[in-house]
Amino acid sequence: MNSKLLLLLCLKLLIFQGISAQVKIKIEKTEDAPQISKHIYGHFAEHLGRCIYEGLYVGEDNKIIPNTEGVRNDIIAALKELDIPNLRWPGGCFADTYHWKDGVGPQSKRPTIVNRWWGGTTEDNSFGTHNFLNLCELLGAEPYLSANVGSGTVQELADWIQYTTHDGISPMADWRRENGREKPWKVKYWGVGNETWGCGGNMTAEYYANIYRQYATFMTDWGNGDGIYRIASGASEDDYNWTETLMKNVPFNLMEAVALHDYAVFDWNAKGPSINFDEEIYFKTMKQALNMDEYVTKHIAIMDKYDPEGKVDLFVDEWGGWYDAEPEVKNGVLYQQNTIRDVMIAGTVLNTFNNHARRVKMANLAQMVNVLQAVILTDEEKMIKTPTYHVMHMYKVHQDAKLLPTTIVENTKYRGLPVISVSASKDKNGGYHISLVNIDPEKSHIVEIDLSRFQVKKPSASILTSEKLQDYNSFENPEKVKPKEFKDFKIKSGIMLVEIPKHSLIVLELN
Ligand code: AHR
């Protein structure tokens, strides 16, 4: 070791003696804290670019790529490791053009459709309701069907529910049996339109609230005991009037959840590249990603005003980073790479959702394969896990764990943004987990966590980071970014000191 390096190490050790923690965190141990719904770790797959066709679904007759009922086996295996709790389908904007009856029955008889929102591609409807619901069963994920309000009918939606969930004799249940499925599936989550203020019909909030009431009236679980969750198409970002109008005008016996969409986009006309971004673009993206906390807080405040008992949940059923698509990818509509910047987005946003677990009961990362902030990318027979995949894997310890509310007593700033984000939980076996993110692209920070009220025996940690913010996993180098063991922490007299490197994410396990 040269003398300069030794000096640096000594300096680091000196600081690490506890002289100068720049960030101080307190963890409360309250008994009445909510459970973090596992559904916050949900996903979203739309008929868009290469998400379904050429991504997830390669067709049953494909002899090159191993598959189960047409869905790639490598993707199934990767998703199983994530314990994905739910999957939203078929859109997005696509949902309000989709007529589900086109996608059931013999494949040869299914009509084609043109995907008008996403590239004008012609689809053959070979991936339909049976394929999707069977896939959910295989993954152990609950399906979330997003129904067509913009160009559909009340009857069409009522029929879809009967087709998928009715156990008795009925026109739709009989048709399902004819199509090869005897028993109904379990489908609890139903979206009533998508972005009805935009691609779902350009409606006003008042008009949609009325339409919603009409649709919701004819939605039933057929007494099958699974219950039904009717999810109202919600606001975008800070459109608080939308949430207020729904909460004011829809009776709570007709609505189980209100949605919210928020992407980390700083300029919809110039979103910037997914890999070759500079520090200025990084800063702007993070500023927008961190706004999620303000949006969620304010939408919840409105919901609390009308529904203090918390009967209606908030579902953030689309979130993630959105950049300019990679130009060289064939049918790469909304195909983007995924870097350490995406790790920062996912880590901070998921911390926000965990911390608002009292009302945020579901969230869906957009999107699962080859679209936006995907966890998986494919190139013909090749498949890679993105850095965001690893965040979802590291954070799964929070699924259904009890929230431990945290307070950042002192934080430090990166260009005015708080550098450290945190959330913590206690799992059913009594294990504690703390997820920390340092968004600072230049400096590590020493974080002091007061654990004096906890009994910590064998702490361990993993870290997700890379040398450069722009680093990513490619088909040539698929493991450049992956979690590693992390040891730069110590505990003394109930105080934990962690030196969290620049642009990195850490999950601490305290058993
Ligand atoms: O996720 C891509 C699109 O973003 C969805 O189709 C739409 O709901 C949103 O605007």
Side-chain angles (χ1 to χ4, degrees):
M1 188 183 294
N2 67 33
S3 55
K4 208 170 150 199
L5 212 65
L6 195 68
L7 183 71
L8 267 175
L9 199 71
C10 290
L11 271 175
K12 200 167 148 178
L13 278 174
L14 247 182
I15 299 169
F16 220 43
Q17 292 306 321
I19 297 169
S20 69
Q22 298 121 331
V23 182
K24 292 195 174 136
I25 295 173
K26 245 177 76 189
I27 300 187
E28 319 291 343
K29 203 177 164 187
T30 55
E31 289 315 315
D32 56 353
Q35 197 181 41
I36 297 172
S37 165
K38 66 178 179 181
H39 290 293
I40 284 176
Y41 294 84
H43 290 259
F44 169 36
E46 179 168 9
H47 288 235
L48 195 176
R50 294 187 303 120
C51 182
I52 301 291
Y53 299 112
E54 292 179 53
L56 190 68
Y57 183 76
V58 290
E60 289 175 40
D61 300 333
N62 193 310
K63 299 280 174 279
I64 300 163
I65 303 177
N67 64 81
T68 304
E69 286 188 27
V71 179
R72 293 176 68 128
N73 290 346
D74 51 0
I75 293 189
I76 292 172
L79 293 176
K80 276 190 169 173
E81 284 175 40
L82 288 185
D83 292 337
I84 77 167
N86 69 74
L87 182 55
R88 178 174 183 250
W89 176 83
C93 294
F94 178 80
D96 284 287
T97 64
Y98 184 62
H99 300 281
W100 69 269
K101 290 178 186 174
D102 293 347
V104 298
Q107 296 224 341
S108 57
K109 299 220 172 98
R110 296 185 192 176
T112 55
I113 48 162
V114 178
N115 192 334
R116 71 152 291 206
W117 289 118
W118 306 116
T121 45
T122 300
E123 297 187 4
D124 64 2
N125 264 310
S126 52
F127 188 88
T129 298
H130 288 244
N131 308 70
F132 174 70
L133 295 177
N134 291 346
L135 170 64
C136 287
E137 280 186 342
L138 200 62
L139 295 174
E142 289 208 44
Y144 169 0
L145 290 175
S146 183
N148 182 346
V149 167
S151 70
T153 63
V154 177
Q155 187 63 52
E156 200 177 341
L157 171 51
D159 282 352
W160 206 8
I161 301 176
Q162 190 182 80
Y163 185 92
T164 51
T165 66
H166 191 231
D167 204 7
I169 305 293
S170 66
M172 291 298 119
D174 291 348
W175 191 27
R176 179 190 73 230
R177 290 187 193 98
E178 256 171 57
N179 289 335
R181 171 81 185 199
E182 178 57 37
K183 281 282 156 203
W185 293 274
K186 188 169 161 357
V187 191
K188 183 162 148 191
Y189 298 107
W190 292 88
V192 183
N194 169 76
E195 296 194 351
T196 43
W197 41 262
C199 64
N202 281 309
M203 302 173 195
T204 62
E206 288 75 14
Y207 181 77
Y208 173 65
N210 280 334
I211 291 268
Y212 176 89
R213 292 164 63 125
Q214 184 190 359
Y215 272 78
T217 305
F218 298 94
M219 296 169 74
T220 168
D221 69 355
W222 299 105
N224 61 18
D226 293 336
I228 191 159
Y229 248 76
R230 291 158 296 185
I231 302 141
S233 151
S236 173
E237 301 182 355
D238 60 354
D239 183 357
Y240 303 115
N241 174 55
W242 189 274
T243 301
E244 178 125 28
T245 306
L246 288 177
M247 294 302 288
K248 207 171 8 180
N249 294 304
V250 180
F252 300 153
N253 65 347
L254 288 179
M255 175 169 76
E256 282 70 34
V258 171
L260 169 68
H261 288 182
D262 176 33
Y263 288 95
V265 178
F266 57 86
D267 180 349
W268 283 97
N269 298 316
K271 301 184 200 75
S274 63
I275 304 172
N276 297 315
F277 54 89
D278 58 20
E279 199 262 336
E280 181 61 20
I281 291 185
Y282 170 70
F283 163 73
K284 288 187 190 160
T285 312
M286 288 318 295
K287 191 164 182 241
Q288 186 56 34
L290 294 177
N291 279 341
M292 180 68 90
D293 196 69
E294 179 182 325
Y295 299 153
V296 166
T297 304
K298 292 189 173 166
H299 284 287
I300 290 176
I302 293 165
M303 296 176 79
D304 284 347
K305 185 168 94 183
Y306 291 94
D307 171 29
E309 288 170 39
K311 292 184 177 139
V312 181
D313 296 337
L314 182 63
F315 282 10
V316 188
D317 58 10
E318 286 186 30
W319 69 273
W322 186 331
Y323 320 115
D324 292 336
E326 297 296 316
E328 71 280 4
V329 177
K330 193 179 131 260
N331 191 19
V333 187
L334 303 199
Y335 176 90
Q336 62 192 40
Q337 252 297 355
N338 199 293
T339 65
I340 295 297
R341 171 174 58 171
D342 296 273
V343 171
M344 300 293 98
I345 296 174
T348 53
V349 169
L350 289 168
N351 281 344
T352 292
F353 295 156
N354 287 347
N355 291 330
H356 288 282
R358 177 176 65 85
R359 187 74 83 159
V360 178
K361 299 288 181 191
M362 185 187 283
N364 303 79
L365 175 62
Q367 298 195 6
M368 200 162 74
V369 182
N370 291 334
V371 168
L372 301 178
Q373 195 173 342
V375 289
I376 285 167
L377 299 177
T378 65
D379 178 12
E380 299 188 339
E381 66 273 28
K382 288 183 259 172
M383 182 211 92
I384 52 172
K385 296 171 179 171
T386 66
T388 301
Y389 176 95
H390 296 300
V391 179
M392 298 306 272
H393 195 265
M394 290 167 79
Y395 270 52
K396 73 178 183 178
V397 290
H398 291 306
Q399 288 192 21
D400 277 349
K402 199 172 167 65
L403 177 73
L404 295 171
T406 44
T407 314
I408 304 191
V409 191
E410 283 171 36
N411 207 338
T412 173
K413 296 276 159 80
Y414 150 61
R415 295 181 65 181
L417 304 178
V419 287
I420 301 293
S421 143
V422 64
S423 70
S425 66
K426 181 181 177 186
D427 68 22
K428 62 176 187 318
N429 302 317
Y432 299 107
H433 295 98
I434 305 172
S435 40
L436 282 173
V437 185
N438 173 12
I439 66 160
D440 194 325
E442 276 158 14
K443 287 198 291 278
S444 69
H445 291 277
I446 295 189
V447 178
E448 181 186 299
I449 309 173
D450 182 353
L451 296 172
S452 49
R453 286 194 274 149
F454 298 84
Q455 289 210 327
V456 180
K457 288 182 208 125
K458 271 197 302 171
S460 62
S462 52
I463 184 166
L464 188 60
T465 190
S466 195
E467 199 192 323
K468 288 198 275 153
L469 263 180
Q470 292 80 0
D471 284 348
Y472 60 98
N473 292 337
S474 64
F475 294 97
E476 294 72 40
N477 191 0
E479 302 214 338
K480 184 169 179 67
V481 182
K482 64 173 183 187
K484 298 195 175 91
E485 193 182 358
F486 176 74
K487 290 192 166 155
D488 255 353
F489 64 88
K490 63 173 192 173
I491 305 184
K492 209 172 157 199
S493 314
I495 301 294
M496 177 177 239
L497 283 180
V498 185
E499 178 166 13
I500 176 163
K502 64 180 185 179
H503 54 71
S504 63
L505 175 151
I506 289 173
V507 175
L508 297 152
E509 184 166 322
L510 316 172
N511 281 319

